[in-house]
Amino acid sequence: MNLSVEDFQAIALTLQLASVTTVLLLLLATPVAWWLAHTRSAWRAPVASLVALPLVLPPTVLGFYLLVALGPNGPIGQFTQWAGWGTLAFSFWGLVLGSVVYSLPFAVQPLVNAFEAMGPRPMEVAATLRASKWDAFFTVAVPLAKPGFVMAAMLSFAHTVGEFGVVLMIGGNIPDKTRVVSTQIYGHVEAMEYSQAHGLAGVMLVFSFVVLLGLSWFNRRPNRHSNRGQKASA
């Protein structure tokens, strides 16, 4: 495997991007998923559709509108310039914002499934024991939904690593700044550097296989927390 210094820089930037994005996604997706799992509001369907939109929207379309929004004349770009941060387009934090939007459904849906599978009974029991809503959420709901959090983290991280269209539109292909693994492979192919492209593509192939294998193994494990939740509901 013949990897250059630029290849390793792209790998490091990709891992940094995926790590930051995953943490932010879990913080953002948790309240959204909790609301979607429990609300009866008429707004549930529109919000759920908006969250799932990146699943069906072409990445270049999403990337284009994000680029416009982040640009100097866009609403986000005007705000960041007013705040003295410049524009986020063609920057690392622009990639983070785009990755959060693009991977949001991969974090929200596993958490929605986990919260719905938990059922209302554990929280009702916690309320009878005079636990506050915050205490009940962190001591009851979060442990019972642990498989959903693990699944959301793994899917978010892997999906961010594999991004191409959105990151290319928002960040371009700037070395050691916005050039991630997918755009580095694209650059190798454009330059007809097929041996280097093979090396990076092989890394991505192995990584993707390991993630899928891990998800398969995790799904087959007996879920002790779910068993506890079922006993509490009985």
Side-chain angles (χ1 to χ4, degrees), residues 75 87 159 198:
T87 57
H159 192 249
H198 273 303

Side-chain angles (χ1 to χ4, degrees), residues 48 63 69 80 98 106 120 127-128 136 142 163 167 173 176 179 191 193 215:
T80 55
F106 291 86
T128 62
V142 170
E163 286 181 63
V167 295
N173 197 11
D176 203 25
R179 180 178 289 174
E193 299 169 348
L215 288 172

Side-chain angles (χ1 to χ4, degrees), residues 212-228:
L212 291 175
L213 186 64
L215 288 172
S216 177
W217 174 80
F218 182 78
N219 284 331
R220 294 180 63 181
R221 290 179 59 195
N223 190 346
R224 291 179 297 173
H225 291 297
S226 294
N227 291 338
R228 290 175 187 172

Side-chain angles (χ1 to χ4, degrees), residues 153-230:
M154 294 177 69
L155 288 175
S156 300
F157 190 92
H159 192 249
T160 303
V161 168
E163 286 181 63
F164 176 70
V166 171
V167 295
L168 185 62
M169 293 288 289
I170 296 176
N173 197 11
I174 305 173
D176 203 25
K177 187 176 180 181
T178 61
R179 180 178 289 174
V180 293
V181 170
S182 57
T183 56
Q184 179 74 349
I185 295 173
Y186 177 74
H188 282 318
V189 174
E190 272 197 322
M192 293 190 292
E193 299 169 348
Y194 296 124
S195 60
Q196 291 91 333
H198 273 303
L200 270 182
V203 171
M204 291 291 291
L205 180 62
V206 172
F207 171 79
S208 301
F209 176 76
V210 170
V211 169
L212 291 175
L213 186 64
L215 288 172
S216 177
W217 174 80
F218 182 78
N219 284 331
R220 294 180 63 181
R221 290 179 59 195
N223 190 346
R224 291 179 297 173
H225 291 297
S226 294
N227 291 338
R228 290 175 187 172
Q230 291 172 359

Side-chain angles (χ1 to χ4, degrees), residues 74-138:
I76 298 177
Q78 289 182 348
F79 171 77
T80 55
Q81 289 178 102
W82 172 82
W85 301 333
T87 57
L88 297 181
F90 306 106
S91 70
F92 174 78
W93 289 106
L95 292 186
V96 170
L97 179 59
S99 299
V100 167
V101 174
Y102 188 49
S103 296
L104 184 61
F106 291 86
V108 171
Q109 196 54 55
L111 291 176
V112 171
N113 294 338
F115 289 145
E116 288 178 343
M118 184 181 71
R121 183 63 176 166
M123 297 297 287
E124 292 172 355
V125 172
T128 62
L129 297 175
R130 297 183 180 180
S132 67
K133 291 183 178 180
W134 284 105
D135 287 340
F137 178 78
F138 285 108

